[in-house]
Amino acid sequence: MVNSLESLVEPLIRIRLEMLLTELSEYHADYNQLSLETDQYFKTLREALPDQLQHTIFLYEDAQISLQSILERSIYIQGFKDALQLFSELQNSSI
């Protein structure tokens, strides 16, 4: 059940997260400011590292992006499950 739910909502997750990112980028100045700052800090760190550590920083960034992707997906699925449970409880309580 859990795997089938996850595979069914996977396209929804991707679409919804893209929409949320677009919304954040367009309407939330704090998000944009923090995003710019983060990019600048990371660029500064990357430029300060010696050549022998450039590959390591690339691997670190790749791992961070992968972790974020897993976390976003897990949060979305848990919210979906919570909504289904709440809906079920509301249905049962109104009978």
Side-chain angles (χ1 to χ4, degrees):
M1 169 68 178
V2 172
N3 287 338
S4 62
L5 174 64
E6 290 178 10
S7 64
L8 287 172
V9 298
E10 186 68 38
L12 299 173
I13 294 170
R14 195 170 34 259
I15 292 167
R16 186 64 180 138
L17 288 176
E18 288 172 5
M19 289 172 56
L20 287 170
L21 180 58
T22 300
E23 182 181 314
L24 283 171
S25 298
E26 291 178 5
Y27 302 110
H28 295 283
D30 290 342
Y31 174 83
N32 287 327
Q33 181 62 37
L34 287 170
S35 182
L36 287 172
E37 287 177 22
T38 301
D39 290 345
Q40 184 59 47
Y41 296 147
F42 196 76
K43 180 182 176 190
T44 302
L45 286 170
R46 190 179 316 135
E47 290 171 352
L49 289 173
D51 289 342
Q52 65 267 24
L53 290 176
Q54 290 299 317
H55 185 67
T56 302
I57 197 71
F58 170 79
L59 293 174
Y60 172 79
E61 185 177 27
D62 189 55
Q64 284 294 96
I65 291 168
S66 296
L67 284 172
Q68 181 177 344
S69 176
I70 292 168
L71 182 62
E72 288 171 351
R73 186 175 175 277
S74 297
I75 289 169
Y76 190 94
I77 289 173
Q78 186 58 53
F80 192 79
K81 289 176 184 177
D82 292 346
L84 289 174
Q85 181 178 358
L86 179 61
F87 180 77
S88 176
E89 289 178 13
L90 289 173
Q91 290 288 96
N92 291 336
S93 68
S94 65
I95 293 178

